[in-house]
């Protein structure tokens, strides 16, 4: 197949670069545009054909593609034996423990949660981590053990961990085939990535392509009022993610005796951009969660923005106080 040649040259209006400059902009800006369309021109995209299929009804298909690409990345170059311990720590402290606590709160307070924060929102926000931010931060201040822990974010991406926790706890009535259907794209991606590294390289760009379209489609199901009311709660939830899940990962790094580099753990205290799709995906499997989808999505979107800004700031501050704020030099490390 002939390779695609992209047109080179300057952009008349640099939409893409502008979105990249905004923290979580690739998710947040399209989501807001979708919310505005849904609030002020709700029928504009309900014209059928390719327009409605992509911009209004395409969220689930795009989520599936994103999950497939995520699975293919797990066997990438950032994995290895050196990263096994840090990967386990990040997965346990950033995802499994917080998700388990969210489930316990659900058993106590019910699906509606407390203070306007549903258990669905807690699972989406607490159980998803921003792998790209972790990889960038760990790559600058850590070593291969830290960058290898990127694999943990691949495991917690997508809705299936939330479904497993909800189903196992009895909070969610998740049909077995719905759980299988959520895992199949991930498993297929895992297999494709394991046998064909070229596919892994091709799929590496899928998040940059998919997340803006997926976020826009998700936004077309949310009202502006929900965003405004959920934003305040999402702000506090975002701070909580950085302090609590980042703090847990920091303690995990201390347990691994990482010394002055333990502050890297706070960089795990994030919420991934594709977490905004988790509430919808869970509600498709269990319609009892439908009343919470709008607010949970709005709160998640706010938490994504807050954690993208705050987590690296906190991690850098902790590293500086401990004397670990030094850029990793792979050449020097290989000599040692």
């Amino acid at each position: 197949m002939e390779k695609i040649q992209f047109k080179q040259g300057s952009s008349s209006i640099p939409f893409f670069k502008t979105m990249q400059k905004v923290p979580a902009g690739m998710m947040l800006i399209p989501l807001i545009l979708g919310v505005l369309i849904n609030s002020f021109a709700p029928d504009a995209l309900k014209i059928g054909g390719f327009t409605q299929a992509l911009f209004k009804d395409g969220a689930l298909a795009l989520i599936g593609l994103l999950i497939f690409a995520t699975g293919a990345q797990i066997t990438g170059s950032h994995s290895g034996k050196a990263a096994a311990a840090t990967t386990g720590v990040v997965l346990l402290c950033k995802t499994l423990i917080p998700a388990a606590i969210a489930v316990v709160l659900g058993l106590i307070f019910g699906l509606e949660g407390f203070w306007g924060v549903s258990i669905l929102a807690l699972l989406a926000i607490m159980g998803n981590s921003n792998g790209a931010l972790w990889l960038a931060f760990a790559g600058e201040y850590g070593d291969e053990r830290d960058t290898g822990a990127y694999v943990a974010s691949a495991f917690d991406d997508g809705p299936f961990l939330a479904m497993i926790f909800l189903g196992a706890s009895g909070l969610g009535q998740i049909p077995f085939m719905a759980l299988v259907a959520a895992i199949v794209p991930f498993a297929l991606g895992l297999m494709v990535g394991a046998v064909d590294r070229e596919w892994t390289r091709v799929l590496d760009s899928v998040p940059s392509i998919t997340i803006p379209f997926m976020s826009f489609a998700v936004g077309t199901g949310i009202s502006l009022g929900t965003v405004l009311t959920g934003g305040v709660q999402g702000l506090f939830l975002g701070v909580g993610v950085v302090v609590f899940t980042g703090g847990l990962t920091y303690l995990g790094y201390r347990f691994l005796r990482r010394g002055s580099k333990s502050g890297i753990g706070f960089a795990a205290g994030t919420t991934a951009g594709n977490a905004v799709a988790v509430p919808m995906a869970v509600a498709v499997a269990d319609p009892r969660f439908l009343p919470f989808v709008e607010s949970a999505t709005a709160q998640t979107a706010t938490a994504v923005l807050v954690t993208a800004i705050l987590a690296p700031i906190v991690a850098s501050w902790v590293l500086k106080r401990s004397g670990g704020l030094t850029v990793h030099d792979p050449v020097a490390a290989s000599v040692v």
Side-chain angles (χ1 to χ4, degrees):
M1 185 174 65
E2 187 176 331
K3 289 186 176 180
I4 299 174
Q5 297 294 325
F6 293 99
K7 183 178 179 181
Q8 301 295 320
S10 59
S11 302
S12 301
I13 303 177
F15 288 125
F16 191 79
K17 286 187 177 180
T18 301
M19 289 168 64
Q20 285 184 312
K21 290 178 180 178
V22 177
M26 294 294 287
M27 176 280 302
L28 197 61
I29 293 175
L31 182 78
I32 292 173
L33 290 174
V35 170
L36 292 175
I37 291 291
N38 184 55
S39 300
F40 298 106
D43 296 324
L45 300 176
K46 297 178 182 179
I47 59 176
F50 302 122
T51 300
Q52 183 169 337
L54 176 61
F55 296 109
K56 182 68 178 176
D57 302 330
L60 287 179
L62 293 168
I63 293 168
L65 176 59
L66 191 61
I67 293 173
F68 180 86
T70 298
Q73 301 307 311
I74 284 189
T75 50
S77 59
H78 302 299
S79 61
K81 292 182 180 179
T86 50
T87 298
V89 163
V90 173
L91 185 62
L92 179 68
C93 297
K94 172 60 190 82
T95 300
L96 300 183
I97 292 177
I101 291 174
V103 165
V104 171
L105 291 173
L107 293 172
I108 296 173
F109 295 102
L111 299 184
E112 64 276 7
F114 50 92
W115 298 334
V117 180
S118 67
I119 300 307
L120 184 59
L122 281 177
L123 278 173
I125 292 170
M126 294 288 187
N128 253 278
S129 58
N130 189 330
L133 189 150
W134 170 267
L135 195 56
F137 193 90
E140 186 170 2
Y141 299 112
D143 55 29
E144 68 278 358
R145 292 170 293 177
D146 306 305
T147 55
Y150 166 81
V151 175
S153 69
F155 278 113
D156 66 32
D157 270 355
F160 45 87
L161 272 182
M163 290 184 182
I164 289 173
F165 273 94
L166 289 170
S169 65
L171 283 172
Q173 298 174 359
I174 310 295
F176 176 73
M177 288 310 299
L179 188 59
V180 171
I183 295 176
V184 165
F186 180 81
L188 290 176
L190 195 66
M191 290 187 288
V192 168
V195 301
D196 190 345
R197 306 307 304 146
E198 186 63 32
W199 261 111
T200 298
R201 286 189 287 272
V202 170
L203 293 168
D204 189 50
S205 60
V206 164
S208 296
I209 299 170
T210 306
I211 287 177
F213 289 93
M214 177 200 73
S215 299
F216 182 89
V218 169
T220 60
I222 302 172
S223 66
L224 185 60
T226 302
V227 172
L228 295 177
T229 55
V232 176
Q233 295 152 327
L235 175 64
F236 287 104
L237 287 169
V239 173
V241 168
V242 176
V243 174
F244 179 60
T245 66
L248 278 179
T249 312
Y250 166 77
L251 293 177
Y253 260 56
R254 293 290 299 270
F255 176 78
L256 293 178
R257 301 184 184 279
R258 292 302 305 277
S260 63
K261 291 295 185 180
S262 297
I264 293 175
F266 273 100
T270 57
T271 300
N274 57 3
V276 297
V278 171
M280 178 187 293
V282 171
V284 169
D286 186 349
R288 294 184 307 143
F289 288 96
L290 280 172
F292 310 113
V293 170
E294 275 198 61
S295 59
T297 303
Q299 290 161 0
T300 302
T302 305
V304 171
L305 175 62
V306 172
T307 58
I309 296 172
L310 191 59
I313 292 175
V314 173
S316 298
W317 180 77
V318 175
L319 282 173
K320 184 176 181 180
R321 284 181 60 87
S322 62
L325 196 64
T326 55
V327 177
H328 172 62
D329 186 350
V331 177
S334 62
V335 172
V336 175

